C-alpha cells in the first residue's frame, strides 16, 4: 500500500501542487509573522541595550497617569534639582547627572514642513557632552540659548546642516535656533532606533521640554567600584522615597524592549489573522482536490479493496498523500515566510527612519507553526475524502462506475446547525454579552457562519448556477458550460465557497466602514456649527498643536464671530481614567457643537468648575454641585465642582475643564480650533487670513467644514485599502481553487470531451465551454460573498448603533465591481484548463478508460 500510495502521488503531481500552493501561502504568513517579530524584537533588544549601556541606575518621577501609546503621549514629570543633590549624596554613587529627554521636539525642515516620525520618538534633550556612545561629527556643542545640535538622521531627513537657522516646536510655539553641530553614535549609527533628537543647552531644554527651570526628566547614576547596580538601586530608592521610580539600566532596557515587542504583537496578530483567512480558503481547495481525486480513483481504490486492502489501509493511503503534500507545502511556506519576514523587517526599518536590524533569524515558533499548520490543515481537509474512499465497495472495480450525487439532506441539516451556532456567537459578541472574550466570540461566529454557509451552498448551487448559466445559453458551448457547472452541486459549492470567503470579508468590511463614514459625516454636518476648522493629521502618539495666540488674532479678523480652541488629554476623574477637554471659550461650546444644557449653566466656567455630558453624569451619579477630584498629567490633584451638564453627543467630550487647566495637560496647546463666521461672511475671504496666521504652526492647517469632515473620514479609506490588499491573498487562493477544479474536471471528462470533439465541437468552442463553466462558478461564489458579507456587515452596524454608527450604507458600486471582477477571475482561471481541454487527442480521449 505504501508503494502504491507513492506511485499514485507521483502520478498526480500537478494537481497536488495546485492544492499545496494554498497551504504554502497560508504557512508563509504564519511563519513570516513570527520571523518578523523575532527579528524586530532582537533588533530593539540590541538598541536599548546600547542606549542604556552607560546607565547603572536611573531615577525618574512616577507618572501622574499611565497612558498607553494608543491613548496619547506620556507626560514627563519634572524632577527638582534638589533630588539630584540627594542622589549624589547616596553612598556608592560615583557620578549622577541630570538629564532632560522628552518626546515632542519637532524640527521644521528646509521645506518649511515638520520632519515627521512614524513611531520613533522626537526627543528634545540637554547636551551633556560626548561619551563612548554619543559622538559629535560636525561643528561644536550648543552654548547660547538659540543654539542646538541634532542627530545625523534628523539632519538628513530635514535636509539641514551646520549653520542653518531652523524653527523648532516644543511645549511652546515655534522658536528659531541655529544648528551648531551634528552628532551620531558609536558604530557609525546616525540614530538609535530611528529617533529624531534635538539637543539644547540645559536651561533651554528645561524650559521648553519640561516647562520649569532647574528640573530634569531623569537622573542617571554611575556606581562606584565594588557597588553592584542592584545594591545602588535599593540605596537610591530608599533615599529619594516612594514618589520616584528607581531602576537599573538593565531593567530599563528590558522594559523598553518589552514595550516595543508588545506594540509589534499588533502586527503579528494582523498577519496571523490574514493567514487564518488564507488557510480557511485553502481548506476548501484541498477538500475539493482530494474529493475529486478520490472520485476519479473509484475503480482503482475498489480494485485494491477487491484484492484485500482494508478500509483502514485506504484511509491511510489518502491521508499519507495529504501528509506528503502538507510536509512539502510547509517546507516551501516556511522558506517563503522567512523571505517575507525579512522583507517586512527591512521595510519597517526603512519606514522607521533607519532602524539597525539584527540578523534575520528563524525562531522555533516559526518552524513549529509552519509544520503544525501545514500538516493539520492538509490532513483535516483530506479526512472526509479519505473516509469516503474507505467505503467504496469492491464490486465497483468490476463495472463502469458512475459517481451519482448523494442526497443533500445531511449536509443541509449540518449547515443549518453550524450557521445557527455562528449566528448565535455573533449575536453574543456584537451585543457585548461575551464577557471578556468579545473578539474571540465574534471571530468564532464569523468562522462558523462561513462554514455553515459553505455547507448550505450545495442546496442552492444548482438553481442559482442554472440561472446564471442562462446568460450564456444562447450558444452550444454556453449550454454545455451551464450544464457542466451544475452537474456536481457539491464540487461547485466548495469551489465557489473558497471565493465567497474573501469577497464576503471585503464586502462586510466595506459595509461597516462606509456606514461609519456616512454616520460620522452626517453627525458632523448636523452638530458642528463652525465654518472653518484648524487641525492636523496625527502620525504618532502626539497630536499636532498650534500657538493659542492664533485664536486671539483670528477672532479679530472682520467677519469672524467666534474662535474657539480645544485642548485635550487623558486624566483621572473621580478615580476613573477618561478623556477630558478644555476650551479657550467655554461659551462657544453651545454655539460650535449645538450643545444644549440639561442642568446648570454651560455658558461660563469658573477656574474651579467643570462641565460634564449627560451620559457621564448619569453613569457616575453626578449633578450640579457635585465635587469631583481630578488628576491631570502634571501638577497635583484638584477638586472641581460640576456647574453644568450638557446633552451628550458623539462629537463632544465627556468632561470639559476651564482653560486654566490646560497648563497641566501633556500638550498645553490647542489641538483643534473652530472658527464660526458672521452671517453673510464668505469662507473664501477668511480662510486665507487664517492660513497666514498658521505660518509658524506647520503641523496644522485650516479647512472648511466639508473638507475637514472628508479628512476625518478619509482615514477609513486608507484602512479599507489595506484590508482589501491583504484579503486579495484569499482571492488568489480561490482562483487557484477554480483552476484546480477545472483542471481535474477536464481530466475526469477526458472521454466525454473526446466524444464532443468527435461529433463536431471545435477547439474554440471547447475553450468557450470550459470558460463559461469557470465564469458561472466564479460569479456564483461572488454572489454568495456579497450576500454573506452584506449580512455580516449589516449585523455589525446594527450592533454599533449605540456607538454612533446609525447609517447603514450598502456599497452598490463596489458590489458591482466585485461581480465584474469575479467574471474576469473566471476567465483567467479557465485559461489553462481550457487550453488543455482544446488540445485533447480525439482518438486517444475516446479510448480513455
Amino acid at each position: 500500500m505504501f508503494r502504491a500510495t507513492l506511485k499514485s502521488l507521483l502520478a498526480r503531481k500537478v494537481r497536488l501542487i495546485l492544492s499545496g500552493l494554498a497551504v504554502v501561502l497560508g504557512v508563509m504568513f504564519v511563519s513570516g509573522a513570527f520571523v518578523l517579530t523575532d527579528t524586530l524584537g532582537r533588533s530593539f533588544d540590541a538598541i536599548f541595550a546600547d542606549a542604556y549601556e552607560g546607565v547603572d541606575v536611573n531615577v525618574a518621577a512616577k507618572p501622574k497617569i499611565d497612558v498607553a501609546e494608543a491613548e496619547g503621549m506620556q507626560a514627563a514629570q519634572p524632577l527638582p534639582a534638589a533630588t539630584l543633590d540627594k542622589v549624589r549624596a547616596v553612598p556608592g554613587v560615583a557620578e549622577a547627572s541630570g538629564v532632560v529627554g522628552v518626546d515632542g521636539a519637532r524640527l521644521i525642515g528646509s521645506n518649511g514642513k515638520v520632519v515627521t516620525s512614524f513611531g520613533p520618538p522626537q526627543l528634545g534633550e540637554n547636551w551633556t557632552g560626548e561619551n563612548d556612545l554619543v559622538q559629535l561629527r560636525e561643528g561644536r556643542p550648543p552654548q547660547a540659548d538659540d543654539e542646538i545640535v541634532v542627530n545625523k538622521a534628523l539632519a538628513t531627513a530635514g535636509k539641514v546642516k551646520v549653520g542653518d537657522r531652523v524653527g523648532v516646536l516644543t511645549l511652546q510655539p515655534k522658536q528659531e535656533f541655529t544648528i551648531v553641530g551634528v552628532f551620531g553614535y558609536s558604530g557609525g549609527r546616525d540614530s538609535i532606533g530611528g529617533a529624531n533628537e534635538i539637543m539644547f543647552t540645559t536651561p533651554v531644554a528645561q524650559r521648553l521640554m519640561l516647562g520649569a527651570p532647574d528640573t530634569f526628566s531623569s537622573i542617571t547614576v554611575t556606581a562606584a567600584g565594588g557597588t553592584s547596580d542592584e545594591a545602588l538601586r535599593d540605596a537610591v530608592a530608599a533615599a529619594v522615597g516612594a514618589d520616584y521610580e528607581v531602576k537599573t539600566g538593565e531593567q530599563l532596557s528590558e522594559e523598553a524592549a518589552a514595550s516595543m515587542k508588545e506594540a509589534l504583537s499588533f502586527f503579528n496578530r494582523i498577519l496571523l489573522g490574514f493567514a487564518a483567512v488564507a488557510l480557511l480558503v485553502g481548506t476548501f481547495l484541498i477538500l475539493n482536490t482530494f474529493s475529486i481525486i478520490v472520485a476519479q480513483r473509484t475503480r482503482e481504490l475498489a480494485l485494491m479493496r477487491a484484492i484485500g486492502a482494508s478500509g483502514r489501509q485506504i484511509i491511510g493511503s489518502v491521508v499519507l498523500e495529504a501528509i506528503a503534500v502538507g510536509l512539502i507545502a510547509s517546507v516551501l511556506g516556511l522558506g517563503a515566510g522567512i523571505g517575507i519576514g525579512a522583507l517586512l523587517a527591512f521595510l519597517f526599518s526603512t519606514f522607521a527612519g533607519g532602524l539597525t536590524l539584527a540578523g534575520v533569524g528563524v525562531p522555533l515558533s516559526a518552524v513549529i507553526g509552519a509544520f503544525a499548520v501545514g500538516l493539520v490543515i492538509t490532513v483535516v481537509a483530506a479526512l472526509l475524502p479519505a473516509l469516503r474512499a474507505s467505503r467504496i465497495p469492491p464490486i465497483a472495480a468490476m463495472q463502469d462506475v458512475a459517481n451519482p450525487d448523494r442526497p443533500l439532506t445531511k449536509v443541509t441539516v449540518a449547515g443549518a446547525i453550524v450557521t445557527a451556532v455562528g449566528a448565535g456567537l455573533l449575536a453574543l459578541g456584537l451585543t457585548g454579552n461575551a464577557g471578556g472574550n468579545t473578539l474571540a466570540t465574534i471571530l468564532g461566529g464569523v468562522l462558523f457562519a462561513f462554514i455553515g454557509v459553505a455547507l448550505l451552498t450545495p442546496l442552492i448551487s444548482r438553481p442559482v448556477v442554472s440561472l446564471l448559466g442562462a446568460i450564456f445559453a444562447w450558444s452550444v458551448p454556453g449550454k454545455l458550460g451551464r450544464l457542466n457547472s451544475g452537474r456536481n452541486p457539491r464540487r461547485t459549492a466548495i469551489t465557489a465557497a473558497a471565493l465567497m470567503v474573501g469577497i464576503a470579508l471585503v464586502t462586510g468590511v466595506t459595509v461597516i466602514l462606509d456606514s461609519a463614514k456616512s454616520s460620522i459625516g452626517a453627525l458632523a454636518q448636523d452638530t458642528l456649527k463652525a465654518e472653518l476648522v484648524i487641525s492636523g493629521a496625527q502620525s504618532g502618539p502626539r497630536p499636532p498643536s498650534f500657538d493659542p495666540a492664533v485664536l486671539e488674532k483670528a477672532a479679530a479678523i472682520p467677519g469672524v464671530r467666534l474662535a474657539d480652541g480645544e485642548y485635550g488629554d487623558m486624566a483621572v476623574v473621580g478615580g476613573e481614567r477618561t478623556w477630558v477637554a478644555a476650551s479657550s471659550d467655554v461659551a462657544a461650546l453651545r454655539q460650535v457643537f449645538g450643545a444644549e444644557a440639561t442642568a446648570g449653566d454651560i455658558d461660563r466656567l469658573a477656574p474651579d468648575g467643570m462641565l460634564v455630558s449627560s451620559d457621564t453624569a448619569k453613569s457616575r451619579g453626578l449633578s450640579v454641585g457635585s465635587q469631583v477630584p481630578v488628576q491631570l498629567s502634571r501638577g497635583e490633584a484638584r477638586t472641581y465642582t460640576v456647574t453644568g451638564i450638557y446633552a451628550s453627543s458623539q462629537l463632544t467630550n465627556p468632561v470639559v475643564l476651564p482653560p486654566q487647566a490646560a497648563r497641566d495637560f501633556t500638550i498645553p496647546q490647542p489641538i483643534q480650533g473652530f472658527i464660526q463666521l458672521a452671517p453673510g461672511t464668505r469662507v473664501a475671504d477668511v480662510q486665507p487670513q487664517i492660513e497666514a496666521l498658521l505660518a509658524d504652526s506647520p503641523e496644522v492647517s485650516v479647512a472648511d467644514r466639508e473638507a475637514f469632515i472628508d479628512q476625518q473620514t478619509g482615514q477609513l479609506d486608507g484602512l479599507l485599502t489595506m484590508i482589501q490588499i491583504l484579503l486579495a491573498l484569499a482571492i488568489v487562493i480561490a482562483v487557484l481553487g477554480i483552476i484546480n477544479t477545472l483542471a481535474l474536471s477536464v481530466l475526469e471528462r477526458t472521454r466525454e470531451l473526446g466524444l464532443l470533439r468527435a461529433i463536431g465541437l471545435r477547439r474554440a468552442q471547447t475553450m468557450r465551454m470550459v470558460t463559461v463553466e469557470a465564469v458561472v462558478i466564479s460569479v456564483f461564489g461572488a454572489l454568495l460573498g456579497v450576500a454573506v458579507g452584506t449580512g455580516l456587515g449589516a449585523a455589525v452596524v446594527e450592533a454599533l448603533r449605540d456607538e454612533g454608527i446609525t447609517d447603514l450604507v450598502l456599497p452598490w458600486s463596489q458590489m458591482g465591481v466585485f461581480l465584474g471582477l469575479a467574471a474576469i477571475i473566471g476567465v483567467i482561471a479557465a485559461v489553462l484548463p481550457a487550453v488543455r481541454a482544446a488540445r485533447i487527442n480525439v482518438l486517444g480521449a475516446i479510448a480513455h478508460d
Side-chain angles (χ1 to χ4, degrees), residues 21 92 133 138 159 228 242 258 291 300 340 368 389 402 407 465 469 499 573 660 675 750 752 756 776 783 793 813:
L21 277 175
L133 181 64
E138 302 175 41
K159 297 181 180 179
S228 69
S291 295
E300 173 190 329
I340 287 293
I368 293 174
V465 164
L499 185 60
V573 179
Q660 295 87 344
I675 312 296
T750 299
E752 175 187 318
L756 288 172
V776 169
L783 276 174
S813 59

Side-chain angles (χ1 to χ4, degrees), residues 39-65:
T39 301
L40 293 181
R42 287 184 293 104
S43 300
F44 284 114
D45 284 340
I47 287 168
F48 291 117
D50 283 347
Y52 294 106
E53 183 179 4
V55 178
D56 292 336
V57 172
N58 185 81
V59 182
K62 290 183 178 178
K64 302 291 185 181
I65 302 170

Side-chain angles (χ1 to χ4, degrees), residues 64-65 572-575 628-640 664:
K64 302 291 185 181
I65 302 170
V572 176
V573 179
V628 184
V630 177
Q631 175 63 67
L632 299 175
S633 295
R634 294 187 174 91
E636 299 303 319
R638 289 189 57 187
T639 299
Y640 288 85
D664 288 332

Side-chain angles (χ1 to χ4, degrees), residues 372-418:
V373 168
L375 283 173
V376 169
I377 291 295
T378 312
V379 172
V380 168
L383 202 54
L384 283 177
L387 291 172
R388 196 177 306 140
S390 69
R391 294 170 184 159
I392 295 174
I395 195 66
M398 303 173 189
Q399 54 186 325
D400 190 10
V401 179
N403 291 296
D405 285 343
R406 298 185 305 281
L408 299 174
T409 305
K410 292 182 179 179
V411 72
T412 301
V413 171
I417 294 172
V418 173

Side-chain angles (χ1 to χ4, degrees), residues 49-191:
D50 283 347
Y52 294 106
E53 183 179 4
V55 178
D56 292 336
V57 172
N58 185 81
V59 182
K62 290 183 178 178
K64 302 291 185 181
I65 302 170
D66 287 319
V67 179
E69 187 172 350
E71 297 174 329
M73 274 181 54
Q74 180 76 64
Q77 301 301 315
L79 265 164
T83 306
L84 177 58
D85 296 334
K86 220 182 258 188
V87 171
R88 284 173 173 163
V90 174
V93 172
E95 184 181 350
S97 303
V99 175
V100 178
V102 181
D103 195 358
R106 293 94 68 207
L107 178 79
I108 300 175
S110 60
N111 60 358
K113 297 181 180 179
V114 171
V115 180
T116 56
S117 171
F118 297 93
Q122 298 174 290
L123 297 173
E125 303 166 305
N126 64 323
W127 176 261
T128 57
E130 294 184 87
N131 51 45
D132 292 340
L133 181 64
V134 179
Q135 302 165 355
L136 198 61
R137 295 184 184 175
E138 302 175 41
R140 60 174 176 79
Q143 297 170 351
D145 287 352
D146 66 342
E147 294 179 347
I148 58 172
V149 295
V150 299
N151 67 355
K152 180 64 176 176
L154 179 56
T156 301
K159 297 181 180 179
V160 295
K161 61 185 183 301
V162 173
D164 285 354
R165 192 75 176 167
V166 297
V168 178
L169 305 175
T170 57
L171 290 179
Q172 298 186 16
K174 174 186 170 183
Q175 296 190 23
E176 296 281 339
F177 293 88
T178 299
I179 298 177
V180 297
V182 174
F183 65 93
Y185 291 92
S186 59
R189 292 169 294 174
D190 293 342
S191 71

Side-chain angles (χ1 to χ4, degrees), residues 408-747:
L408 299 174
T409 305
K410 292 182 179 179
V411 72
T412 301
V413 171
I417 294 172
V418 173
T419 303
V421 171
L425 289 174
L426 281 171
L428 281 175
L430 295 174
T431 55
N433 294 319
N437 301 308
T438 300
L439 180 60
T441 303
I442 291 175
L443 292 177
V446 170
L447 177 62
F448 276 93
F450 279 139
I451 295 174
V453 171
L455 292 172
L456 290 173
T457 301
L459 184 66
I460 61 172
S461 66
R462 183 168 285 168
V464 175
V465 164
S466 179
L467 184 61
L468 290 173
I471 300 172
F472 306 96
W474 49 270
S475 65
V476 171
K479 290 178 181 177
L480 291 172
R482 173 191 182 189
L483 293 172
N484 287 336
S485 59
R487 176 184 294 185
N488 191 323
R490 294 173 185 268
R491 184 181 304 176
T492 299
I494 295 174
T495 306
L499 185 60
M500 173 201 72
V501 173
I503 290 182
L505 289 173
V506 172
T507 303
V509 170
T510 304
V511 168
I512 296 167
L513 294 183
D514 281 0
S515 298
K517 284 174 57 180
S518 176
S519 301
I520 294 170
L523 179 63
Q525 287 285 2
D526 292 341
T527 306
L528 186 59
K529 307 300 181 184
E531 285 79 13
L532 292 169
V533 180
I534 300 172
S535 67
Q538 186 169 343
S539 60
R542 189 189 197 285
S545 60
F546 59 96
D547 187 347
V550 169
L551 299 169
E552 297 176 11
K553 296 175 183 178
I557 294 175
V560 172
R561 184 181 177 187
L562 63 84
D564 176 41
E566 184 177 286
Y567 305 74
D569 201 9
M570 186 64 66
V572 176
V573 179
E576 296 182 29
R577 286 159 39 87
T578 187
W579 182 263
V580 299
S583 175
S584 64
D585 182 1
V586 176
L589 182 70
R590 181 194 297 274
Q591 300 176 56
V592 171
F593 291 105
E596 297 181 0
T598 61
D601 184 3
I602 66 170
D603 286 327
R604 59 187 58 84
L605 195 56
D608 62 347
M610 66 185 293
L611 307 179
V612 297
S613 67
S614 55
D615 286 347
T616 302
K618 182 179 179 180
S619 63
R620 300 194 180 197
L622 300 177
S623 59
V624 174
S626 296
Q627 303 283 309
V628 184
V630 177
Q631 175 63 67
L632 299 175
S633 295
R634 294 187 174 91
E636 299 303 319
R638 289 189 57 187
T639 299
Y640 288 85
T641 302
V642 177
T643 59
I645 300 174
Y646 52 89
S648 296
S649 165
Q650 295 297 326
L651 290 183
T652 56
N653 291 284
V655 176
V656 177
L657 298 175
Q660 295 87 344
R663 290 194 294 265
D664 288 332
F665 282 14
T666 302
I667 302 172
Q669 294 177 4
I671 57 178
Q672 281 188 328
F674 303 98
I675 312 296
Q676 194 176 85
L677 304 182
T681 304
R682 296 194 316 146
V683 169
D685 293 335
V686 177
Q687 186 169 352
Q689 299 180 66
I690 304 293
E691 289 173 348
L693 295 177
L694 294 170
D696 288 340
S697 301
E699 289 182 302
V700 299
S701 60
V702 61
D704 60 46
R705 179 170 54 193
E706 286 70 25
F708 170 72
I709 293 171
D710 289 342
Q711 289 172 4
Q712 302 307 303
T713 58
Q715 298 174 12
L716 297 177
D717 291 329
L719 176 62
L720 178 60
T721 300
M722 182 189 73
I723 292 173
Q724 287 174 337
I725 291 172
L726 290 172
L727 285 176
L729 172 66
I731 296 175
V732 169
I733 296 175
V735 173
L736 293 176
I738 297 172
I739 294 173
N740 207 19
T741 298
L742 290 175
L744 293 171
S745 182
V746 166
L747 186 64

